[in-house]
Amino acid sequence: DAGVIQSPRHEVTEMGQEVTLRCKPISGHNSLFWYRQTMMRGLELLIYFNNNVPIDDSGMPEDRFSAKMPNASFSTLKIQPSEPRDSAVYFCASRDPQGGNQPQHFGDGTRLSIL
Amino acid sequence: GNSVTQMEGPVTLSEEAFLTINCTYTATGYPSLFWYVQYPGEGLQLLLKATKADDKGSNKGFEATYRKETTSFHLEKGSVQVSDSAVYFCALSSSNNAGNMLTFGGGTRLMVKP
């Protein structure tokens, strides 16, 4: 079975550029989560979708960050304009519809470096 | 609000040593508890879970028991291997107005030496 698929695996770009991270959740999962992981702050939840609808975006750090889920099989996280402090590993996770006792399944992440 | 506290690492052990990584939590209601493992360059993988008090989760030789009276979910393994070297995250899932989300601890890095 295919797990959560994220692309790209690595992204290096200059500050000010737009960055788009992509995620394909596990088929049949109806909840999707975007996380950011850094040494300083650990793992932070950025935004959470349920049935393609954003439920909680309180973790999105600034207006430069936006996330969409146009359908059940695809989500994007955009940063525009990007800044060096956005450098981190960004993870996407999905969960099946049976509810909160079910585990989240994580992708392998996108390692983002903003120069 | 919900919170998870786990011991800071790194924890360095020799192969075949006994492992304990402490985890305590604060939550309203009746959370489910999880241990995730992150190997270098990878995402988090579910290691084990427990959904109610006194449940024991186990996988790959790892165990953790849901202790409501001490609000703890300590991870243990009787004999670690070099391949167990990774970062371990304790987490809880509890309902709130936004649905069921995970609250993670800060992670504990385990290094096992041959």
Side-chain angles (χ1 to χ4, degrees):
Chain A
D1 287 345
V4 175
I5 299 172
Q6 293 187 242
S7 63
R9 287 298 312 274
H10 303 275
E11 175 90 10
V12 180
T13 192
E14 293 185 347
M15 66 178 293
Q17 298 298 306
E18 178 180 289
V19 173
T20 300
L21 310 181
R22 297 175 177 79
C23 176
K24 178 178 168 55
I26 292 173
S27 177
H29 284 194
N30 71 335
S31 297
L32 185 140
F33 307 80
W34 281 101
Y35 293 88
R36 178 172 68 177
Q37 186 179 39
T38 61
M39 289 292 291
M40 291 294 292
R41 302 170 74 97
L43 198 61
E44 304 172 277
L45 177 66
L46 300 178
I47 188 168
Y48 156 44
F49 292 87
N50 198 45
N51 293 320
N52 311 339
V53 176
I55 302 299
D56 185 351
D57 65 355
S58 59
M60 296 286 264
E62 300 173 33
D63 291 345
R64 298 183 296 106
F65 286 69
S66 63
K68 294 182 180 179
M69 192 164 186
N71 58 61
S73 58
F74 184 65
S75 177
T76 59
L77 178 67
K78 282 191 179 179
I79 309 172
Q80 168 62 22
S82 57
E83 297 184 3
R85 61 195 166 117
D86 302 330
S87 298
V89 182
Y90 290 81
F91 289 103
C92 176
S94 68
R95 187 181 67 205
D96 79 22
Q98 291 186 38
N101 289 341
Q102 298 303 310
Q104 294 180 18
H105 297 260
F106 284 74
D108 284 338
T110 295
R111 183 173 296 277
L112 177 63
S113 297
I114 308 297
L115 306 177
Chain B
N2 298 337
S3 67
V4 176
T5 303
Q6 55 183 111
M7 58 192 294
E8 290 193 19
V11 173
T12 303
L13 296 173
S14 297
E15 207 164 22
E16 299 184 3
F18 184 86
L19 168 71
T20 301
I21 300 178
N22 290 338
C23 171
T24 57
Y25 67 90
T26 302
T28 56
Y30 302 94
S32 294
L33 301 174
F34 305 84
W35 276 101
Y36 281 81
V37 58
Q38 184 179 28
Y39 298 104
E42 298 183 12
L44 279 70
Q45 303 174 23
L46 178 70
L47 181 59
L48 52 85
K49 71 174 185 179
T51 58
K52 61 182 188 296
D54 299 326
D55 267 3
K56 178 186 282 188
S58 61
N59 186 27
K60 300 181 181 179
F62 291 89
E63 293 183 340
T65 302
Y66 189 141
R67 302 283 188 203
K68 195 168 188 296
E69 63 277 13
T70 55
T71 61
S72 65
F73 193 55
H74 304 321
L75 182 68
E76 296 182 336
K77 186 174 185 182
S79 177
V80 293
Q81 305 300 312
V82 173
S83 57
D84 294 327
S85 299
V87 181
Y88 293 82
F89 292 89
C90 185
L92 69 84
S93 175
S94 183
S95 296
N96 58 30
N97 291 335
N100 292 88
M101 297 189 294
L102 285 176
T103 300
F104 285 94
T108 302
R109 182 176 299 277
L110 170 65
M111 299 169 60
V112 181
K113 297 183 176 180

